[in-house]
Amino acid sequence: MKKLLSVLAGLLLCGSTVFAQKMEKEMPKGYEQEKTGIAKGKIDTVLYDSKTVGNKRKTLVYTPPGFDKKKKYPVFYLLHGIGGDHLEWFKGASPQNILDNLYAEGKIQPMIVVMPNGRAMKDDRSVGNIMAPDKVQAFATFEKDLLDDLIPFIEKTYPTLTDKDNRAIAGLSMGGGQSLNFGLGNLDKFSWVGGFSSAPNTKLPQDLVPNPEIAKQKLKLLFISCGDADGLIGFSKRTHDYLYQNDVPHIYYLEAGGHDFKVWKNGLYMFSQFLFKPVDNSSLEQYSVLGTPATTNVRNAKYPQILPDNRVIFKVKAPEAQKVQIDLGKKYDMVKDTSGFWNVTTDVISRGFHYYSLIIDGVAVVDPASETFYGMGRQASGIEIPYKDGGFYALKDVPHGDIRIKKYFSKATNSWREMYVYTPPGYDNATEKYPAVYLLHGGGEDQRGWATQGRTDLILDNLIAEKKAKPMVIVMMDGNFQGGGGPAGFGIQQLNQFENELKNAVIPFVEANFKVSSEAKNRALAGLSMGGLQTLHAGVRNSDVFNYLGVFSSGWWANNTKLSDPQYEFMKTNKDKINANIKEFWISQGGKEDIAHANCQIMMKKFDEMGIKYKYSEYAGGHTWPVWRHDIYEFSQLLFK
C-alpha cells in the first residue's frame, strides 16, 4: 500500500510540474481589470512595529480568495520603486485583480502577498527629493526591517508557512534591485526571487551570486525581466550574462516596453504563476517574448534577436518581395505580416560565430541590420551566438595587443597585397624578438578572417594574461591565388604559389618590419580548411623553417591521388627529418560533422603507416568558426615551449 501511495504521489508531482510550466508568455490585454462572477481576495492596510526604524510602518497585505485562518499559506513579498511607497503596486497595477483572475483560472497557488514600504526611515513618504542620500540609503536599510521586523510580524499575525521554500520576494525598479540583493543575499530565507526592471542599486553579479553552486542548490526560481526600451536594461542583462556563464538556472524575460507598469504588471503575472510549485529548469529558457539583439548587429538594430535558448528571431522589411528566407546553414522560410515585415524564429543555433544570408526572391544578399564579413567567397552577414564556455575569446580587462594592417608589395606575385598582424601587449616597448605564427584562413575567406571572425587577438590577449601562452606575433596573410577555391579549382599550382609567396615575400617582409625571430624553433605555420592544406604542403616541405604545424579541419583529399600521392611520397622519403624538426604537429577536427573529417582520418592512417608523429584533437562543432577559435586557443598554448 505504501509503495502504491508513493507511486501515486510521484505521478501527481509530475503532473504538477507540467502544469506549473504551462502558461501564456504574456499577460492578456486588460487582465488587470476586475472580473465579475469570480471569488475575490482581500487587500488591507496593516501596521507593524519596526524596531529598525523606530516607529509603526504601513504595509498592504493581500489574502487570497477563500482565505482560511486554519490553513497555512506561503508568502510573497512584493516591492515598489524609488518613487513609490506601499501603495504603488495597488495604484499602478491593481495586483489584487491580477491575482484574483489567476486564481479563478487555476494558474497560481493560494498565497499571501505583502506589499511593504521599502523606504525604511521615519518619514517614508515618497515626497521631495526622492534621490536624496538618506532616502536612497533607506532602501538598503529596509533589508534589516524586512528580515527582523516585517517577516516576523507577518508570520505571527497570519497563518503562514515559515520555511524558505514558502517565501518569495520580487519588485520593480529599485524594488527589483532590493529583491535581487536581499533574496540572493539571504538564500536561507528566500527560495523564489524576482527582479522586474531592476535599478542601479542592484549589486554586481559576482556580489549577488558569489557562489553559483550554492545558488543552484538553494534557489527554486530566479526571474529577471525588463522592457527592451528600458534605459536600465544593462543591469538586468549583466546579471543574466553572469548567471548564464555560471550555469545558474533562471528566466531572463524580455518584452516590448520601457520602464513602466506595462512591463511590471506582466512581471507579476508571469512570476506569480511559477511560485510554490515544482519547477522544470529545462524549460526556463523558453519563456521570453523577445530576445537580445545580437552583438553582431549594426548600431541600434533590434533584429536579429537571440532568445535565451539560442533560437534566433529575424525580422526584415521587404514589402515588395514575394518570398524571403534566412540561410543559416539551414534555410528558414519567413512569414510576411501586414506591415511588410518578414518574420521567422529559427531552431536552436549552436554557439559562436555563423555566417548567414537573406534570400530575397531567390537572390542571396546581406542583412542590412548585420555587420558583414568576407566569407563564402563574398560579403555575408554574420551572427554571434552566446556561449557560456566562450570566455576564452571574450573582451576582458587585461592588457591588449594590436591588430596592424600592412600593405606590402610582393615580388613573388608582382602585386600589392595585404596582411593583418597581431602584436602582443608590450610589443612597442620590447627589445627582444618574438616568436611568430603564420596563420592561414580557409577557402572563400581572406586575411581578415582570423582577426574578425576568429577573434585571434582577444584569444591571445587572454591567454597571455593568464600566462598560458607565450607572447607572440601572429601574421594573418592572404592565401588566395589565381585559380584557388574549392577542390575543382585548387591544386599543386596554387600550393606552390602559396609556398613561394610565404617564403619569398611574406616572411622577409615580416622579419624586416617586425620584432620577430628568424629561427625555425620560433616559427609556426597553421591554417584551417584550405589553409590546412597549405600548411600540410609548405610546412611539411619546410620543416627546417617551421618547427610547429597546426592543421585545422583539413586533410588531403582521398579521391585526389594526383595531388596527395606526391605529398605522401615526400613525407615517406623525409620521415626522419620531419619527425626530428617538427616539435608539434597538431591536427584537429570539428567532430564527425566536420566536412574534412573523413579525409583527415584517411590521411592520419597513412601518417601512422609511414611513422609520422602527430597529435590529434577533436572539438565538436563541424566546419565552423567556433571550432577554429578553439583550435587556435589550444594550439597557441603548445607553441615555443
Side-chain angles (χ1 to χ4, degrees):
M1 184 65 179
K2 287 183 178 179
K3 185 174 182 181
L4 176 60
L5 289 174
S6 176
V7 171
L8 288 172
L11 290 172
L12 287 171
L13 181 60
C14 291
S16 297
T17 302
V18 173
F19 177 78
Q21 308 299 124
K22 196 172 183 179
M23 64 180 71
E24 298 291 331
K25 293 185 180 179
E26 199 164 13
M27 188 175 83
K29 189 174 181 181
Y31 197 83
E32 72 277 18
Q33 300 300 316
E34 183 178 2
K35 291 183 181 179
T36 59
I38 64 171
K40 305 290 176 64
K42 185 180 179 183
I43 193 163
D44 295 303
T45 301
V46 177
L47 289 173
Y48 69 96
D49 284 316
S50 171
K51 294 179 182 178
T52 300
V53 176
N55 63 0
K56 289 186 178 293
R57 307 196 69 222
K58 291 179 180 179
T59 183
L60 286 187
V61 178
Y62 168 88
T63 50
F67 177 69
D68 185 346
K69 291 184 179 179
K70 295 180 181 179
K71 295 181 181 179
K72 291 193 174 184
Y73 296 86
V75 185
F76 172 19
Y77 293 86
L78 184 60
L79 311 183
H80 62 81
I82 194 169
D85 56 21
H86 66 292
L87 296 174
E88 183 174 24
W89 273 101
F90 179 75
K91 293 177 180 178
S94 301
Q96 73 281 11
N97 293 337
I98 294 173
L99 295 167
D100 287 345
N101 295 338
L102 286 168
Y103 278 119
E105 295 176 7
K107 291 183 176 179
I108 60 174
Q109 297 284 68
M111 67 184 82
I112 294 169
V113 181
V114 180
M115 290 164 271
N117 188 323
R119 190 182 293 101
M121 59 192 303
K122 289 191 175 179
D123 184 0
D124 58 9
R125 296 174 299 161
S126 57
V127 295
N129 180 12
I130 60 172
M131 300 297 292
D134 61 332
K135 293 185 177 181
V136 172
Q137 176 57 40
F139 280 92
T141 304
F142 179 66
E143 180 176 10
K144 181 173 174 57
D145 181 53
L146 172 68
L147 299 176
D148 295 350
D149 302 315
L150 179 56
I151 290 177
F153 168 80
I154 293 295
E155 293 180 352
K156 181 179 179 181
T157 308
Y158 294 88
T160 64
L161 296 163
T162 59
D163 60 292
K164 75 182 201 70
D165 288 350
N166 284 290
R167 198 179 293 126
I169 186 169
L172 67 88
S173 193
M174 179 70 90
Q178 286 178 304
S179 297
L180 295 179
N181 294 344
F182 305 164
L184 295 173
N186 294 278
L187 291 173
D188 56 333
K189 301 290 186 183
F190 301 96
S191 291
W192 311 82
V193 179
F196 316 149
S197 308
S198 299
N201 64 317
T202 309
K203 292 180 181 179
L204 290 171
Q206 57 269 33
D207 296 327
L208 279 176
V209 187
N211 191 323
E213 290 304 316
I214 291 178
K216 291 179 201 179
Q217 294 168 17
K218 293 193 172 185
L219 278 170
K220 293 290 187 182
L221 179 71
L222 178 52
F223 182 97
I224 298 169
S225 69
C226 201
D228 66 337
D230 191 329
L232 301 183
I233 193 171
F235 299 102
S236 294
K237 187 174 186 303
R238 77 181 185 188
T239 304
H240 158 68
D241 289 344
Y242 176 85
L243 297 170
Y244 176 78
Q245 290 291 334
N246 288 280
D247 284 322
V248 179
H250 67 288
I251 291 176
Y252 183 48
Y253 183 98
L254 297 180
E255 60 181 294
H259 200 72
D260 53 49
F261 263 108
K262 173 188 175 295
V263 172
W264 304 329
K265 285 185 287 190
N266 198 38
L268 173 61
Y269 171 84
M270 294 295 297
F271 183 62
S272 62
Q273 291 182 70
F274 284 93
L275 296 180
F276 315 122
K277 302 174 184 177
V279 175
D280 177 12
N281 284 339
S282 67
S283 71
L284 299 185
E285 295 177 335
Q286 301 172 11
Y287 285 95
S288 185
V289 177
L290 297 179
T292 301
T295 58
T296 35
N297 289 2
V298 298
R299 191 183 303 274
N300 298 324
K302 289 190 174 182
Y303 292 88
Q305 292 182 352
I306 302 170
L307 290 164
D309 61 356
N310 285 351
R311 289 176 298 139
V312 182
I313 304 171
F314 287 95
K315 189 181 185 78
V316 178
K317 190 165 188 178
E320 304 302 320
Q322 300 302 306
K323 182 177 182 179
V324 180
Q325 295 175 301
I326 290 291
D327 186 353
L328 195 56
K330 172 182 175 180
K331 291 180 180 177
Y332 296 88
D333 292 329
M334 303 186 77
V335 178
K336 186 178 179 182
D337 64 23
T338 55
S339 301
F341 284 94
W342 294 78
N343 304 270
V344 73
T345 300
T346 70
D347 303 326
V348 174
I349 305 301
S350 62
R351 76 280 194 257
F353 177 88
H354 298 271
Y355 296 116
Y356 77 93
S357 299
L358 287 175
I359 303 177
I360 300 180
D361 292 336
V363 180
V365 297
V366 298
D367 182 351
S370 168
E371 295 285 356
T372 57
F373 305 84
Y374 183 71
M376 303 186 294
R378 60 179 175 82
Q379 289 298 121
S381 300
I383 188 166
E384 186 73 39
I385 304 296
Y387 178 37
K388 63 185 62 177
D389 294 325
F392 68 90
Y393 56 75
L395 180 61
K396 298 179 182 179
D397 186 15
V398 298
H400 293 288
D402 295 309
I403 294 283
R404 307 174 189 226
I405 303 173
K406 290 292 184 180
K407 307 283 187 182
Y408 70 99
F409 187 79
S410 168
K411 293 182 180 179
T413 59
N414 197 35
S415 65
W416 283 97
R417 294 176 69 84
E418 184 179 84
M419 65 175 68
Y420 278 44
V421 181
Y422 166 80
T423 53
Y427 171 87
D428 287 327
N429 297 321
T431 56
E432 76 273 16
K433 291 190 174 183
Y434 291 88
V437 180
Y438 294 82
L439 188 58
L440 313 175
H441 58 82
E445 296 165 343
D446 64 13
Q447 68 278 8
R448 294 169 283 184
W450 275 107
T452 53
Q453 294 94 300
R455 296 194 176 180
T456 299
D457 56 333
L458 298 181
I459 293 170
L460 266 295
D461 289 344
N462 295 335
L463 285 173
I464 292 168
E466 294 171 12
K467 300 189 183 307
K468 291 181 177 179
K470 296 193 71 171
M472 62 188 77
V473 169
I474 299 184
V475 180
M476 295 160 270
M477 62 175 283
D478 183 357
N480 293 302
F481 297 92
Q482 186 175 3
F490 186 86
I492 193 63
Q493 178 186 349
Q494 289 73 38
L495 290 172
N496 288 335
Q497 285 178 319
F498 166 78
E499 183 180 6
N500 186 36
E501 175 73 10
L502 176 66
K503 292 177 66 177
N504 297 315
V506 172
I507 292 177
F509 177 83
V510 169
E511 294 184 352
N513 290 275
F514 290 89
K515 303 170 188 175
V516 297
S517 170
S518 60
E519 296 179 284
K521 67 179 183 180
N522 287 315
R523 283 201 206 103
L525 181 65
L528 68 91
S529 195
M530 181 185 79
L533 294 177
Q534 292 169 329
T535 299
L536 285 167
H537 176 76
V540 169
R541 289 175 177 273
N542 295 277
S543 62
D544 54 340
V545 177
F546 302 98
N547 284 174
Y548 298 87
L549 300 182
V551 178
F552 313 153
S553 294
S554 194
W556 292 117
W557 299 316
N559 62 353
N560 189 344
T561 55
K562 182 180 178 181
L563 178 64
S564 61
D565 280 355
Q567 303 288 343
Y568 292 137
E569 187 60 35
F570 177 88
M571 296 180 78
K572 184 177 180 181
T573 303
N574 295 276
K575 178 193 72 172
D576 293 340
K577 178 183 176 183
I578 293 167
N579 285 338
N581 286 344
I582 299 177
K583 295 182 179 180
E584 290 287 349
F585 194 166
W586 198 76
I587 300 172
S588 65
Q589 291 287 319
K592 291 184 179 179
E593 65 268 37
D594 194 322
I595 60 173
H597 188 269
N599 281 329
C600 186
Q601 302 308 307
I602 294 169
M603 180 185 75
M604 289 190 299
K605 186 176 180 181
K606 289 187 177 292
F607 284 7
D608 292 338
E609 292 170 355
M610 289 186 284
I612 297 293
K613 296 177 182 178
Y614 65 91
K615 290 179 182 176
Y616 179 66
S617 176
E618 279 196 13
Y619 180 74
H623 206 73
T624 62
W625 273 107
V627 171
W628 304 326
R629 287 177 180 176
H630 192 263
D631 285 339
I632 193 60
Y633 169 76
E634 292 288 344
F635 182 62
S636 59
Q637 295 182 65
L638 304 175
L639 300 178
F640 316 123
K641 295 180 179 179

